[in-house]
């Protein structure tokens, strides 16, 4: 919300010495987020005056139209002679009043004005457009043409209100009242302890039977509808300069008088309004829910197919507007030529349901200034005053006549009251304010307060966000000053520290970071189309997702069941920006829906929930195991003088999984597998043994080329994902000091020939079991394939076996016997034979 300081002063008598920065500090202290204070015209220096165009000479022979003008600027140039100016704009004529900047002036952007020769003539100044003066777009896209009655030679800086300060306030979702000058003025008056001249305090005529007919069929969606009629508007009437400038300062573009007045009153009072061309409205104005599939062309020229939940304004033909969002083109105010302009208008000032407006605006992707206010809460009691203010301005500025008929359709409602102990703010803040301070602060924001120890507070109509005692406590605390709250540090009980799970997560992160991976946390939201891109089967459990009722992004409406979509998107994004050698990891929760869908009970707010209540809520929530995943692409080892380097491949993904399992103290079984996005021949299934039963905890390897193409990933991208919670359950990460033997190691190398499809893990497992207790370690150090020497479909696996006894030096015979036993068991289980 942009708030000009000059407009704010109209309702609060601020000291003349107060600057925008001073007001910003006061409002921030009161809890409003004033982001910036824009200094309009701070770099503008005159003379800048009103001139009248006397003559226009069209200059020929140039690539674009150029005009040589003489302009009467009165005595502003010191001589009284006409000012000669060269100008390229075409939207003014002889006799028009324009804004002239004379030599010696400085325009915004430090643009100094001097007499200069151009297009064969000498130009003594400029005829100005709105953009050149920092005013923004006034709709003309050219020179500012002033009303004919404007005095020649008058100071244009004062006339156009070019010097001002504008506060830019980031209004939070609960403070819809501050999306108006009225709401910010109220906060300013409270901050300074000054009275407020409320622009909504107007004498409003009582409703009668002569107003424009209105029928509200949905009182829940529209609990208040005010209609007023103004006739005899002058078609040639235009918005005065002061009104246009105020709209420009708050960030709106002037359009036409009737539209400008409704926008002005909306920004002033906070009540969105709409003006209909009375000659285009047929019959009674109605408010109802749309019929499914009804059509409406809105003011932006888009034909929209309506939903059954959309609240619409209608006449006897059908919809003429989306309630609280945007009007329809079939009743648009005309502002074409003087003879065709709108002369009779019907003014709508209504109060619509916030949820209905928000859903309609989101459904049609149509956010407007009106919908922003209705979504955050509009004062329902202000509609009559806003309509009266609009009528008054139209009568004043366009010479119209206000008809005596006043229509008000109001659904019965009672003011919201809250019972709260007088010392409740004291308990919340830990500061003793006292009853008098609490009552005074609540009355300042508009509450009616009764009672002594127990206060009965009636909430003002413009503060729908005040729903309970804690909201009232927050108001007292913020107005008394958050900076005045004492700072106290909590005293945590000693001896707790991090949990076992937290320590494991940190160790895993440090281990992967030490291995060269970069942590890349992602949002937990996915679109279900990603499962097709990952190549998951139609019945894959990962396709069952938890859908969000109110997603941040319509394209990602579900919670993730895997970390890979987010990580692969991060990899693609970084690769597209020129970082081709990538190794990323993430640890985070995935969300798995339960078979039975139930609704959680509402936890109590006045006490800590019991363990049973917490358990009941947890039982309804989706399962949320923590996973760890890593993705790689490009070079794993860089090339240089030290060597050729090497690209990342499936083995690096498997090694990352082993690193994670090692930190958890779990024994990871790696064997050939096939699942979803991984390449069938380069996918490892990762298994652990839990309670004597094997359990698949993840996969690792190179991704399938189809997945790479679908997701736009680099060639040979590899990935791994593990269930970290299962690793924690089966692992034993108790630190163990290494045993250092005083006896030497005996090393035996064996090369075994097996069929090509036999996994190395099966051969290693057989060797380990066959070697017995003397085996200290085993390592695969070579894989060799040669059809001429080994035969078709055969490969050679070379292992280094380390034997050691804890109580003696092994003899050659003992080491050889252990090796032979290992080879024999490997031959029995995998068909391995010693390579000759």
């Amino acid at each position: 919300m942009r708030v000009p300081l000059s407009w704010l002063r109209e309702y609060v008598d601020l000291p003349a010495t107060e600057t925008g920065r001073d007001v910003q500090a006061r409002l921030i202290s009161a809890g409003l987020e004033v982001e910036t204070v824009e200094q309009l015209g701070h770099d503008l220096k005159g003379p800048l005056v009103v001139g009248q165009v006397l003559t226009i000479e069209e200059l020929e022979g140039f690539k674009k139209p150029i005009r040589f003008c003489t302009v009467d600027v009165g005595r502003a140039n010191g001589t009284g002679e006409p000012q000669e100016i060269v100008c390229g704009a075409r939207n003014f004529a002889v006799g028009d009043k324009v804004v002239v900047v004379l030599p010696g002036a400085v325009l915004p952007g430090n643009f100094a004005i001097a007499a200069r020769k151009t297009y064969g003539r000498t130009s003594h100044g400029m005829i100005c457009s709105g953009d050149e003066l920092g005013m923004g777009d006034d709709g003309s896209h050219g020179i500012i043409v002033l009303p004919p009655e404007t005095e020649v030679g008058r100071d244009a800086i004062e006339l156009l209100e070019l010097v001002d300060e504008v506060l830019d306030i980031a209004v939070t979702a609960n403070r819809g009242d501050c999306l108006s000058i009225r709401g910010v003025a109220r906060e300013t008056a409270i901050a300074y302890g000054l009275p407020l001249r409320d622009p909504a305090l107007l004498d409003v005529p009582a409703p009668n039977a002569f107003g424009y007919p209105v029928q509200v069929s949905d009182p829940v969606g529209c609990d208040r509808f005010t209609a007023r009629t103004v006739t005899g508007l002058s078609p040639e009437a235009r918005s005065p300069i002061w009104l246009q400038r105020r709209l420009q300062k708050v960030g709106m573009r002037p359009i036409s008088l009737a539209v400008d007045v409704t926008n002005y009153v909306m920004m002033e009072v906070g009540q969105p309004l709409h003006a209909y061309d009375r000659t285009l409205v047929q019959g009674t104005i109605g408010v109802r829910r749309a019929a499914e599939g009804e059509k409406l062309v809105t003011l932006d020229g888009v034909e929209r197919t309506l939903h059954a939940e959309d609240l619409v304004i209608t006449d006897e033909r059908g919809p003429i507007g989306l309630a609280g969002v945007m009007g329809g083109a079939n009743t648009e105010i005309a502002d074409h030529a003087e003879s065709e302009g709108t002369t009779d208008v019907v003014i709508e000032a209504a109060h619509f349901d916030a949820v209905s407006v928000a859903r309609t605006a989101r459904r049609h992707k149509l956010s407007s200034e009106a919908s922003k206010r209705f979504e955050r809460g509009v004062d329902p009691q202000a509609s009559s005053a806003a309509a009266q203010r609009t009528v008054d301005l139209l009568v004043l500025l366009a010479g119209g006549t206000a008809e005596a008929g006043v229509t008000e359709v109001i659904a019965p409602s009672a003011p919201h009251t809250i019972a709260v102990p007088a010392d409740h703010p004291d308990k919340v803040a830990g500061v003793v304010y006292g009853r008098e301070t609490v009552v005074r602060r609540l009355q300042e924001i508009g509450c009616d307060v009764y009672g002594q120890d127990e206060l009965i507070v009636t909430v003002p109509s413009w503060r729908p966000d005040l729903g309970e005692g804690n909201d009232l406590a927050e108001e007292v605390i913020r107005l008394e000053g958050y900076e005045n709250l004492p700072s106290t540090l909590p005293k945590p009980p000693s001896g707790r520290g991090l949990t076992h799970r937290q320590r494991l997560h940190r160790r895993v992160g440090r281990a992967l970071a030490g291995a060269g991976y970069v942590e890349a946390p992602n949002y937990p939201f996915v679109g279900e189309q990603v499962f097709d891109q990952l190549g998951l089967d139609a019945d894959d459990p990962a396709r069952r997702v938890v859908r969000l009722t109110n997603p941040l992004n319509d394209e990602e409406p579900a919670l993730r069941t895997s970390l890979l979509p987010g990580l692969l998107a991060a990899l693609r994004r970084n690769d597209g920006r020129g970082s081709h050698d990538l190794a990323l990891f993430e640890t985070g929760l995935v969300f798995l829906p339960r078979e039975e869908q139930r609704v959680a009970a509402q936890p109590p707010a006045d006490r800590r929930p019991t363990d049973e209540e917490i358990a009941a809520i947890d039982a309804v929530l989706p399962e949320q195991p923590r996973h760890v995943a890593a993705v790689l692409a490009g070079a794993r080892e860089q090339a240089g003088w030290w060597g050729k380097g090497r690209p990342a491949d499936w083995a690096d993904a498997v090694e990352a999984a082993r690193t994670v399992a090692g930190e958890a103290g779990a024994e990871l079984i790696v064997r050939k597998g096939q699942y979803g996005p991984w390449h069938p021949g380069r996918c490892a299934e990762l298994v652990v043994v839990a309670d004597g039963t094997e359990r698949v905890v993840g996969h690792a390897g190179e991704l399938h080329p189809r997945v790479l193409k679908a997701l736009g990933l680099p060639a040979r991208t590899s990935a791994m994902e593990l269930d970290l919670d299962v690793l924690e359950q089966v692992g034993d990460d108790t630190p163990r000091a290494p045993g250092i033997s005083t006896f030497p190691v005996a090393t035996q190398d064996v090369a075994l020939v097996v069929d090509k499809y036999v996994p190395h893990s099966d051969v290693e497992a057989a060797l380990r079991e066959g070697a017995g207790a003397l085996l200290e370690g085993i390592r695969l150090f070579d894989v060799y394939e040669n059809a001429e020497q080994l035969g078709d479909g055969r490969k050679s696996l070379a292992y280094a076996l380390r034997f050691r006894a804890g109580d003696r030096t092994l003899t050659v015979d003992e080491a050889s016997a252990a090796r032979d036993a290992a080879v024999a068991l490997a031959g029995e289980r995998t068909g391995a034979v010693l390579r000759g």
Side-chain angles (χ1 to χ4, degrees), residues 675-695:
Y675 177 69
W678 281 277
H679 193 296
R682 297 165 188 164
C683 174
E685 185 178 72
L686 308 175
V687 180
V688 296
V689 177
D691 299 326
T693 304
E694 289 188 350
R695 181 171 176 180

Side-chain angles (χ1 to χ4, degrees), residues 38 53 209 248 372 415 633 635 787:
E38 184 178 351
V53 180
Q248 288 174 331
K372 291 177 184 176

Side-chain angles (χ1 to χ4, degrees), residues 621-699:
L621 297 176
E623 295 183 21
Q624 302 175 48
R626 182 172 289 271
H627 282 201
V628 58
V631 295
L632 307 98
R636 185 66 176 132
E637 296 177 2
Q638 296 291 333
W641 59 265
W642 52 85
K644 296 181 179 180
R646 69 173 183 84
D649 60 16
W650 61 268
D652 294 300
V654 174
E655 185 58 30
R658 285 197 173 103
T659 299
V660 172
E663 291 297 327
E667 184 177 349
L668 195 66
I669 301 173
V670 180
R671 63 191 182 200
K672 183 179 180 180
Q674 182 174 344
Y675 177 69
W678 281 277
H679 193 296
R682 297 165 188 164
C683 174
E685 185 178 72
L686 308 175
V687 180
V688 296
V689 177
D691 299 326
T693 304
E694 289 188 350
R695 181 171 176 180
V696 178
V697 293
H699 294 82

Side-chain angles (χ1 to χ4, degrees), residues 422-423 426 433-441 449-455:
D423 62 348
D426 301 5
Y433 293 122
R435 180 188 177 280
E436 291 186 2
T437 298
V438 171
V439 171
R440 174 171 57 85
R441 288 303 189 183
V449 186
Y450 302 95
Q452 292 298 317
D453 295 337
E454 183 80 9
L455 302 179

